[in-house]
Amino acid sequence: MTQINRQHKDRIFRLLFADEKNKANTLALYNALNHSSYTDADELEITTLEDALYIKMKNDLSFVIADRMNLYEQQSTHNPNMPLRGFLYFASLYEKYLKTNEFSILLKKHIKIPTPKYVVFYNGIDKRPAVEKLRLSDAFQIPDGSGEFEWTATVINLNHEANGDLLSRCKPLYDYTYLIGKIQLYHKTMMIEDAVDKAVDECIETDVLRDFLIAHKSEVKSMYLAEFDEAAFKKGAREEGLEEGREEGRIEGRIEGRNEHLHEQIASKIKKGKSLEVIADEVEETPDAIREIYERLSEELKK
């Protein structure tokens, strides 16, 4: 079965904010969050990790500026494990920092490290508070209220009206949420691939991320579809009991999530007059594997 993330290279958020060529966007986002006014993007050092965790997901964006180690993540589904993920990411970031600066924790000298800040941007469709504080201690099997061992993820809901001021202070972030919002809106009445195409074209026409989308249109489309696959997998996994560790639920949840998007892809391509063989190649399956779906959808679309 094709992997749910199809080994996608990046996320749209990461391409927009974590690419060295877009450091001005990164700086604008930092200023908006911290009410600061830095103007020199070269003062910002991007430290984003590659393939940091076991599921081959990169952290979206990390950087150092003004002696602060910042980690920004984007999530389209609520995830209570973000504090633990952030804890693991920061451990790797600080390990890299020590090696780069040739510091040794075995020496008596007290090493100073950049102050951490961990922010998660949520832009999913579920109702969530404007700001949430997720704490590592909530995951402890034995409750510990001492505060001695803590790691906190601040989750900012980009859909919440209370965060409109933040969006107004950072145009790249506003434009990003506008694009995602349009995709989600159009997907209510059309196939996901068509929804992405329409949203991207509309944004280009209305000067929302125009230059960025013209340069990366095909990448943006494949990235969003990969994220859609991932979200579908998580939805199916929850419904089928993945969180409870049941193997049957794990398998069925993955299949349900994958098939939901696969059916949409095939139907959309049939409408465009593509053959079984061409569609199979584009969705990374064999013709025999999708033949039954292809024939059934072809008949349904003729009605």
Side-chain angles (χ1 to χ4, degrees):
M1 182 167 53
T2 304
Q3 286 188 342
I4 202 71
N5 66 6
R6 290 187 282 171
Q7 298 180 334
H8 62 283
K9 295 180 180 179
D10 273 318
R11 295 171 180 267
I12 301 172
F13 181 91
R14 178 180 161 103
L15 181 62
L16 183 60
F17 290 103
D19 192 297
E20 284 283 346
K21 298 177 182 178
N22 296 323
K23 287 174 68 172
N25 292 342
T26 315
L27 186 61
L29 181 55
Y30 177 84
N31 283 335
L33 280 171
N34 296 279
H35 298 276
S36 54
S37 55
Y38 292 96
T39 58
D40 186 0
D42 289 334
E43 294 183 26
L44 184 151
E45 177 190 359
I46 292 179
T47 58
T48 306
L49 298 174
E50 304 292 331
D51 294 336
L53 286 184
Y54 50 89
I55 55 175
K56 294 186 177 181
M57 279 183 60
K58 306 166 184 176
N59 67 317
D60 288 330
L61 169 62
S62 59
F63 61 95
V64 175
I65 186 172
D67 296 324
R68 293 185 181 276
M69 179 82 76
N70 303 275
L71 173 61
Y72 295 168
E73 294 278 355
Q74 174 268 325
Q75 291 284 303
S76 57
T77 55
H78 174 68
N79 186 342
N81 297 311
M82 294 309 290
L84 180 57
R85 287 181 50 160
F87 178 77
L88 297 174
Y89 282 138
F90 269 102
S92 296
L93 287 169
Y94 281 128
E95 181 180 17
K96 179 180 178 182
Y97 175 83
L98 294 176
K99 289 181 178 179
T100 300
N101 292 278
E102 299 183 344
F103 292 143
S104 173
I105 59 176
L106 300 178
L107 301 179
K108 292 184 178 180
K109 180 181 179 181
H110 194 186
I111 299 172
K112 296 294 185 177
I113 60 176
T115 303
K117 179 66 174 179
Y118 182 28
V119 178
V120 178
F121 297 100
Y122 171 77
N123 67 342
I125 60 175
D126 294 334
K127 297 288 186 180
R128 305 299 308 177
V131 178
E132 297 178 80
K133 296 287 186 178
L134 304 182
R135 306 185 190 282
L136 183 62
S137 60
D138 292 335
F140 294 166
Q141 292 181 338
I142 300 176
D144 183 350
S146 68
E148 294 180 1
F149 305 96
E150 193 60 271
W151 202 262
T152 303
T154 300
V155 184
I156 298 176
N157 183 357
L158 297 179
N159 299 318
H160 201 287
E161 59 183 11
N163 292 316
D165 184 52
L166 169 64
L167 296 179
S168 69
R169 295 196 304 273
C170 182
K171 189 176 188 304
L173 185 63
Y174 172 85
D175 288 355
Y176 167 76
T177 58
Y178 183 90
L179 168 64
I180 301 303
K182 284 294 183 180
I183 294 174
Q184 293 171 345
L185 174 64
Y186 294 143
H187 184 221
K188 293 179 180 179
T189 58
M190 61 180 62
M191 298 295 183
I192 183 63
E193 288 187 324
D194 296 330
V196 175
D197 283 336
K198 183 174 181 179
V200 169
D201 289 342
E202 180 177 319
C203 285
I204 291 175
E205 292 173 1
T206 57
D207 199 24
V208 174
L209 295 178
R210 177 181 174 82
D211 294 340
F212 173 79
L213 291 174
I214 290 176
H216 302 286
K217 183 175 181 179
S218 61
E219 294 172 85
V220 166
K221 182 175 179 179
S222 63
M223 288 175 190
Y224 189 86
L225 293 177
E227 290 188 55
F228 181 82
D229 273 351
E230 182 183 332
F233 161 63
K234 291 178 179 178
K235 177 177 181 293
R238 286 197 303 270
E239 292 176 351
E240 297 299 328
L242 177 60
E243 68 277 13
E244 297 177 12
R246 296 196 296 267
E247 186 64 23
E248 182 179 354
R250 180 158 42 241
I251 296 172
E252 291 180 0
R254 178 183 288 268
I255 292 174
E256 178 181 342
R258 170 62 180 165
N259 283 349
E260 178 181 349
H261 181 37
L262 183 61
H263 280 63
E264 288 194 357
Q265 283 185 295
I266 294 173
S268 176
K269 295 176 187 298
I270 290 173
K271 288 181 179 180
K272 296 176 182 178
K274 295 184 179 181
S275 68
L276 170 63
E277 290 72 19
V278 171
I279 294 175
D281 181 65
E282 292 183 355
V283 300
E284 300 178 0
E285 298 284 0
T286 65
D288 287 340
I290 67 167
R291 188 180 305 278
E292 183 179 344
I293 300 173
Y294 173 84
E295 292 176 350
R296 176 170 55 80
L297 291 176
S298 296
E299 288 299 320
E300 291 179 359
L301 292 172
K302 289 179 183 179
K303 298 178 182 179

